Amino acid sequence: MEVSETKRYTFISLFENQLPSEDGKKLALDKVKVPKIQRPYAQGRVLPTETYIRKNFLNDIFNSLVGNRQLELNFIYGSITPEGKYNILELLDGQQRLTTLFLLYWYLATRELEYGSEEDIRCRKCLENFYYETRTTSSDFCRHLATFYCDLTLQKPSDAIKGDIRWFFQIFNQDSTIVSMLKMLDDIHERYNQLSETDRNLYFKLDNISFYVLPLQKFRLTEELYIKMNARGLQLSPFDNFKAGLTGFVSSKSHPRFTEIRPLPQNRGKGEIPFYLDFSSKLDTTWIDLFWRKPDDDEDVFEKGKAATNAYEQAYLSFFNRFFAYKYMLGLEEINLENLNKDKRLKFFYIDSDDALVKGLNTSFEPFDDLLVEQPEMVFDIEKVLDVFLTNFDDIRKTLTPPWDSKPYAVSTMLEKYTKFQHSDFIILSSVLSFIIQHKTFDAGRFDQWMRVVHNIVENTNIDGVVPTARLVILLNQVASRVSSYESFFEGLSNFKDENDPGKIIRALEEEIAKAELISKNKSWLDAFKEAEKDIFWKGYVGLMMADGITPDEFLRRYSIMQKMFDKDGITSDYGKNGEHILIRGLLSQIDDLNKLNKLYITERVEAQKHLKNLLSERRFSQIQDFFRKELLCCNTEDEIKAKLNEVAGREYDLSNQYWPKFSAAISEGFNRLLHEPKLFDLAQTYETATKVFRLYYDYDNAFYACLYAQHDGRIMLDTERNILIPRFVNEEGFEYENPNVGEAYQQYGESFGFGISIHKTFGDTTVTVCFDAHGIVHIYGWNLSREKYNAVTEQFTDGSIWQEDSLNANFYGDTLKYKEASCYQLILDKINDVITFIS
């Protein structure tokens, strides 16, 4: 683009000046055509979004005219092509703005100029040379309107125009372009009538409204380019509206740097251009190439083009939605769940704007505008990011797949199509943005180092909501800022600390800082870490293999030991089921705090919540990790490791607590049973699902049990010996299991899964049922008693419970005995025999 190409034009001067052509010559422009492939005129539509844009546009126009200020409408694009003796500019982009100017010039000429005067003739001649080719009715309307004169003092333009039956035909009312034009004229009329008499001399101020013309002959206006710019349907798309708002903000020159002159890049010609025009131009052209994907074939090119255009607009707009969400998060001060739940702006940027985009709904630009007013420098960050994406996204894409995985994060496809983001996807994108913005230039090698660290941190941090997401976005931005100020990436990372709040350095980042310090002193550490970080189980976490004074060779030896213990599914069979679950039992033996047992997940496998890995990495389980590092990984052979595990799992542990002696005694009993009975883990694995694993619980009723996550009615009791009591009643007294599956579980695992386990035995016409519940209570039921027999039940049992009618039937139950140890067997049997004797 030459300097002369950035000359500003008005609607009239467009037809009275020459424009540069592809061969460098100047061409006189005769006509401006809206070609058939263009959509109808939409700024006059009555839909809420179009109304909002129309009102704002007219406000800008009238404020410019009344205040005698310049208003620049940025670029219009088109191809200058000869048609017979005429040079015609076929509009590619700018149709909506030029059509509005066409209507504005007609209105002000009709309202303020003397019909037939020299200026009136000049204006209407130019108006006649602007026409629509989209529909015959649109063409006829524009041609007739250009020369039509009427008195608008006392009537609306639409009434005056429709009243002239010589040329306004009823069929015009079926043309959406004409209907929109009439609406725009009426709104111009309404806005004009609001002015005082002294402010109404506006026609000769129309030169204040100008634009730039970018001839695009060199693109040869292929169908692909037309589709890319125009196949958006009948109404203004959400991206049209966003783009209009963003372009309007930059063009408002509210920031001093928006008007700075900058040289054009070599690939776009010679000369200089204001920043706001350069930004607007790239928004409409260069950056589109990041998101646009050409249809696969030439069949139904326009229909497929519409689909392709919709896809690129969704991808383009979703980038901006996420960019604004990222910027808004960086500005948050107090991050907690209560504040973020009330933050409507965060909800808009982070959730609502993307939801609306998927549904094809327009959203107000106001929240974006508010944030831009607060942070106008965002515009330069947008430019920097999109420029880097344009030239380096292939290098960026390569880093978006963690080394332990084959599936990249959703950021990889965000430029190709709209992709739904999870919290982790958003953090990955934010870390990419932070790196680009914080660094003066983009270095692919340094970026690769950055993303290695980011992947490790994201994978090994609990991200279960918007609060940890926002905190990590802010923290990684601080890290990016720090490393950008150092020549050496690893030196910068090793020196990172949060002066405001050292406690914000989460465990995963703390590990990466420690790694960076080692790498900066000995480069061979980098290869050692990469080898272990790609492990499918550990996924970037290597802290368990570290120790003071360790060498890279010793680190890799320890890693080789770990590979025999863990694989992609979790604990290997040699240390799991085939090895009597010796590893998980040995690890649990290191827990010495009652509070760490309550609600503790126990599993040997890999699942979404990473409970097994958390046991080996979270700070609250440091004693487990110390045992692993200082004892297991110091062993030289597997036999030594297993011997150590068997030793610690076979001990008796006392978890006594002076405040709750009975309570802690129950916990100790259950805890030792958990360590000493491998079949309990066999049973648990039988009932585990893809999303549910067992969890330990205790309560203050001396009950200690394991149950499936969020399924408290299914329990394995750990602090009672019903696993011994129940089989004895079955084998020695002839009782049967109410549920045969329970009997099979006892036979195979020595325990069963359930809240209450019931057995029964029949005596004549009466059945006695004994239920061992999960609270250590035995319930003894007698069924089908006669009414006389029931009425005779008055005896109170030793614990104070009373025999009573269970329902309208003459049945009874006694909530009579507490059980715990196997020694309770005879007491329970005596009570059962009392019931049997009474019944018989």
Side-chain angles (χ1 to χ4, degrees):
M1 183 187 295
E2 301 293 339
V3 177
S4 58
E5 293 178 32
T6 60
K7 176 181 178 179
R8 289 186 297 184
Y9 296 85
T10 67
F11 184 85
I12 287 183
S13 69
L14 183 63
F15 298 97
E16 296 180 343
N17 286 273
Q18 294 182 325
L19 280 81
S21 64
E22 186 175 16
D23 57 8
K25 297 179 180 178
K26 302 292 183 179
L27 293 177
L29 187 64
D30 298 301
K31 296 178 181 292
V32 175
K33 176 173 70 175
V34 179
K36 291 179 180 179
I37 197 170
Q38 283 278 19
R39 58 189 168 173
Y41 178 57
Q43 283 189 349
R45 292 184 177 275
V46 294
L47 295 173
T49 303
E50 280 78 356
T51 298
Y52 172 80
I53 291 175
R54 179 172 64 256
K55 297 292 186 184
N56 281 348
F57 191 25
L58 288 180
N59 281 339
D60 290 342
I61 286 174
F62 277 92
N63 288 340
S64 168
L65 296 177
V66 173
N68 202 22
R69 297 191 300 269
Q70 293 291 313
L71 175 64
E72 292 175 359
L73 303 183
N74 297 317
F75 283 99
I76 65 169
Y77 308 91
S79 170
I80 301 177
T81 56
E83 289 187 15
K85 62 180 181 178
Y86 298 115
N87 290 321
I88 297 178
L89 176 65
E90 290 190 62
L91 286 178
L92 176 61
D93 192 65
Q95 165 208 358
Q96 304 291 325
R97 285 167 287 158
L98 278 188
T99 303
T100 298
L101 288 182
F102 167 82
L103 298 172
L104 179 68
Y105 270 77
W106 178 84
Y107 180 86
L108 291 180
T110 302
R111 192 72 188 264
E112 295 185 352
L113 297 180
E114 180 183 351
Y115 184 68
S117 66
E118 182 178 348
E119 185 59 34
D120 181 66
I121 294 172
R122 176 190 178 216
C123 176
R124 293 180 186 277
K125 180 180 178 182
C126 293
L127 294 175
E128 287 184 82
N129 289 323
F130 176 84
Y131 67 100
Y132 267 71
E133 197 182 46
T134 53
R135 294 178 67 176
T136 303
T137 47
S138 299
S139 301
D140 289 346
F141 178 81
C142 290
R143 179 168 52 85
H144 284 290
L145 182 66
T147 58
F148 179 64
Y149 177 81
C150 59
D151 186 353
L152 296 176
T153 306
L154 300 175
Q155 59 180 337
K156 296 192 302 184
S158 61
D159 292 338
I161 292 168
K162 289 180 179 181
D164 195 323
I165 60 174
R166 293 172 299 174
W167 66 274
F168 189 89
F169 305 107
Q170 288 300 317
I171 195 173
F172 285 178
N173 290 316
Q174 308 304 315
D175 188 323
S176 60
T177 289
I178 297 174
V179 172
S180 291
M181 287 182 175
L182 292 173
K183 176 59 178 171
M184 177 60 84
L185 285 171
D186 283 350
D187 277 17
I188 292 172
H189 178 73
E190 179 183 359
R191 190 70 176 78
Y192 185 87
N193 283 339
Q194 294 171 356
L195 302 177
S196 65
E197 287 295 332
T198 56
D199 287 336
R200 286 189 179 183
N201 298 315
L202 301 181
Y203 177 85
F204 288 102
K205 296 180 181 179
L206 284 171
D207 285 351
N208 286 328
I209 304 174
S210 58
F211 48 85
Y212 299 82
V213 179
L214 181 61
L216 296 176
Q217 294 98 326
K218 60 184 177 182
F219 292 111
R220 306 195 189 284
L221 289 183
T222 62
E223 287 181 337
E224 176 192 347
L225 188 59
Y226 263 124
I227 294 166
K228 181 190 300 186
M229 300 295 289
N230 297 293
R232 296 174 180 137
L234 298 181
Q235 67 181 40
L236 295 176
S237 70
F239 182 68
D240 283 325
N241 299 325
F242 175 85
K243 185 178 65 174
L246 181 57
T247 301
F249 176 80
V250 177
S251 301
S252 68
K253 310 179 189 66
S254 57
H255 190 281
R257 287 182 61 193
F258 289 175
T259 57
E260 287 182 357
I261 302 299
R262 55 167 56 178
L264 284 168
Q266 289 184 351
N267 62 343
R268 294 171 59 205
K270 299 178 181 179
E272 295 177 333
I273 192 172
F275 165 79
Y276 67 89
L277 284 177
D278 191 33
F279 182 91
S280 302
S281 173
K282 290 194 287 188
L283 184 66
D284 252 343
T285 54
T286 309
W287 293 333
I288 286 179
D289 292 336
L290 276 168
F291 301 90
W292 170 257
R293 298 294 176 271
K294 183 180 179 181
D296 295 334
D297 54 59
D298 294 331
E299 293 184 14
D300 299 322
V301 64
F302 296 128
E303 289 303 315
K304 290 184 178 179
K306 287 181 181 179
T309 299
N310 183 62
Y312 104 76
E313 286 193 344
Q314 278 196 340
Y316 208 168
L317 185 51
S318 70
F319 163 79
F320 283 108
N321 288 343
R322 289 157 184 167
F323 186 91
F324 275 75
Y326 155 77
K327 279 292 187 179
Y328 185 74
M329 277 189 183
L330 292 184
L332 294 173
E333 294 181 359
E334 189 172 351
I335 302 175
N336 57 58
L337 187 58
E338 182 180 1
N339 287 345
L340 296 193
N341 281 340
K342 296 178 181 178
D343 196 325
K344 294 181 179 179
R345 292 178 74 189
L346 177 63
K347 184 174 181 291
F348 174 84
F349 291 128
Y350 194 61
I351 298 174
D352 294 347
S353 56
D354 249 21
D355 286 348
L357 182 152
V358 173
K359 297 173 184 176
L361 304 176
N362 285 300
T363 57
S364 169
F365 187 74
E366 185 176 355
F368 299 100
D369 190 66
D370 290 344
L371 191 57
L372 285 166
V373 170
E374 294 170 9
Q375 304 179 41
E377 293 288 338
M378 281 177 58
V379 172
F380 303 101
D381 291 338
I382 291 171
E383 180 189 40
K384 186 174 184 180
V385 167
L386 288 175
D387 281 348
V388 168
F389 277 7
L390 190 65
T391 56
N392 298 282
F393 200 75
D394 285 343
D395 289 325
I396 293 172
R397 195 191 304 273
K398 294 173 186 176
T399 71
L400 298 178
T401 304
W404 54 81
D405 204 351
S406 59
K407 182 181 179 181
Y409 278 94
V411 184
S412 178
T413 57
M414 68 172 291
L415 301 185
E416 300 171 12
K417 59 183 179 181
Y418 168 79
T419 307
K420 185 175 179 60
F421 269 24
Q422 305 297 326
H423 294 307
S424 54
D425 296 308
F426 181 79
I427 296 170
I428 292 293
L429 172 62
S430 296
S431 67
V432 172
L433 300 178
S434 288
F435 180 91
I436 294 172
I437 293 169
Q438 298 289 357
H439 285 75
K440 291 182 179 179
T441 58
F442 182 83
D443 181 278
R446 191 180 181 93
F447 180 73
D448 183 66
Q449 295 168 342
W450 166 250
M451 290 308 298
R452 172 190 147 266
V453 169
V454 169
H455 284 309
N456 292 342
I457 292 174
V458 172
E459 174 63 30
N460 294 289
T461 302
N462 182 22
I463 305 165
D464 58 0
V466 69
V467 171
T469 296
R471 286 176 177 165
L472 194 49
V473 166
I474 294 170
L475 182 59
L476 287 173
N477 184 66
Q478 293 171 343
V479 177
S481 176
R482 171 57 62 91
V483 299
S484 69
S485 62
Y486 284 78
E487 184 176 349
S488 165
F489 173 84
F490 294 110
E491 183 183 357
L493 179 57
S494 65
N495 283 291
F496 176 79
K497 60 181 178 180
D498 191 333
E499 289 83 358
N500 298 322
D501 187 355
K504 287 183 179 179
I505 300 182
I506 55 177
R507 185 206 56 76
L509 174 58
E510 191 174 57
E511 179 176 306
E512 294 306 315
I513 293 171
K515 289 183 197 174
E517 186 173 2
L518 290 173
I519 295 170
S520 62
K521 295 176 181 178
N522 182 351
K523 300 301 181 185
S524 61
W525 269 113
L526 181 58
D527 290 335
F529 286 142
K530 284 184 175 181
E531 177 66 22
E533 287 169 357
K534 68 183 180 183
D535 187 271
I536 192 63
F537 176 79
W538 296 109
K539 295 182 178 180
Y541 170 58
V542 302
L544 208 56
M545 296 163 248
M546 301 296 291
D548 292 340
I550 193 173
T551 65
D553 289 341
E554 172 60 14
F555 172 84
L556 290 175
R557 186 194 72 82
R558 291 181 170 216
Y559 173 53
S560 67
I561 293 175
M562 304 282 273
Q563 286 179 296
K564 296 174 182 177
M565 296 180 178
F566 303 92
D567 59 21
K568 63 181 180 64
D569 299 316
I571 294 177
T572 60
S573 59
D574 283 348
Y575 287 86
K577 187 175 182 61
N578 292 347
E580 295 191 319
H581 311 283
I582 187 58
L583 182 54
I584 190 68
R585 290 164 52 215
L587 296 177
L588 291 175
S589 74
Q590 301 304 301
I591 296 178
D592 57 2
D593 186 340
L594 287 176
N595 293 323
K596 292 178 182 176
L597 283 176
N598 195 27
K599 300 182 181 179
L600 172 67
Y601 294 97
I602 51 172
T603 183
E604 292 182 326
R605 65 183 176 86
V606 171
E607 35 68 49
Q609 300 303 317
K610 300 183 281 193
H611 296 305
L612 174 60
K613 189 176 176 184
N614 291 341
L615 196 68
L616 297 161
S617 60
E618 289 185 354
R619 285 170 173 161
R620 63 192 177 113
F621 300 120
S622 59
Q623 72 275 27
I624 292 178
Q625 294 145 32
D626 287 343
F627 166 73
F628 214 110
R629 292 188 192 96
K630 297 175 181 179
E631 299 202 40
L632 296 186
L633 293 182
C634 288
C635 295
N636 294 314
T637 66
E638 280 195 85
D639 288 342
E640 288 183 32
I641 293 172
K642 291 179 179 179
K644 173 61 71 175
L645 289 169
N646 275 305
E647 177 197 342
V648 296
R651 295 175 187 168
E652 289 288 332
Y653 293 89
D654 183 5
L655 300 180
S656 297
N657 186 298
Q658 60 176 322
Y659 300 107
W660 304 297
K662 291 183 179 180
F663 167 63
S664 55
I667 303 303
S668 294
E669 183 177 338
F671 182 62
N672 283 298
R673 187 180 170 214
L674 190 66
L675 301 183
H676 300 159
E677 298 183 28
K679 283 192 175 181
L680 287 176
F681 292 92
D682 289 337
L683 178 63
Q685 289 179 0
T686 302
Y687 289 97
E688 279 187 345
T689 69
T691 58
K692 294 179 180 179
V693 302
F694 271 78
R695 197 177 192 185
L696 299 179
Y697 289 89
Y698 58 71
D699 58 38
Y700 296 93
D701 194 24
N702 296 346
F704 184 48
Y705 55 92
C707 72
L708 277 180
Y709 172 52
Q711 190 171 329
H712 290 267
D713 60 340
R715 306 185 180 192
I716 299 174
M717 296 306 301
L718 297 173
D719 66 332
T720 72
E721 294 185 352
R722 75 178 184 182
N723 59 310
I724 297 174
L725 291 166
I726 294 175
R728 283 190 66 186
F729 281 106
V730 171
N731 297 329
E732 299 175 19
E733 305 298 332
F735 278 80
E736 297 179 354
Y737 291 101
E738 294 264 327
N739 184 343
N741 293 329
V742 172
E744 291 180 11
Y746 270 110
Q747 188 174 8
Q748 184 172 357
Y749 304 113
E751 179 59 280
S752 186
F753 175 79
F755 184 88
I757 306 298
S758 295
I759 55 178
H760 68 269
K761 185 177 181 179
T762 301
F763 302 89
D765 294 332
T766 302
T767 298
V768 173
T769 298
V770 183
C771 178
F772 297 78
D773 75 10
H775 296 291
I777 305 295
V778 168
H779 303 263
I780 305 171
Y781 299 83
W783 302 95
N784 301 323
L785 274 70
S786 66
R787 174 63 62 176
E788 292 76 17
K789 184 72 73 173
Y790 171 75
N791 289 334
V793 177
T794 58
E795 178 184 357
Q796 288 193 348
F797 288 88
T798 55
D799 67 347
S801 298
I802 300 176
W803 296 72
Q804 53 189 297
E805 185 175 17
D806 181 53
S807 67
L808 294 178
N809 298 317
N811 303 325
F812 69 91
Y813 68 89
D815 188 5
T816 61
L817 290 175
K818 293 185 178 181
Y819 74 94
K820 195 168 189 66
E821 298 84 5
S823 60
C824 296
Y825 178 79
Q826 189 60 48
L827 183 61
I828 298 170
L829 181 59
D830 290 344
K831 190 62 64 177
I832 292 172
N833 285 331
D834 286 345
V835 174
I836 294 171
T837 299
F838 177 80
I839 293 173
S840 62

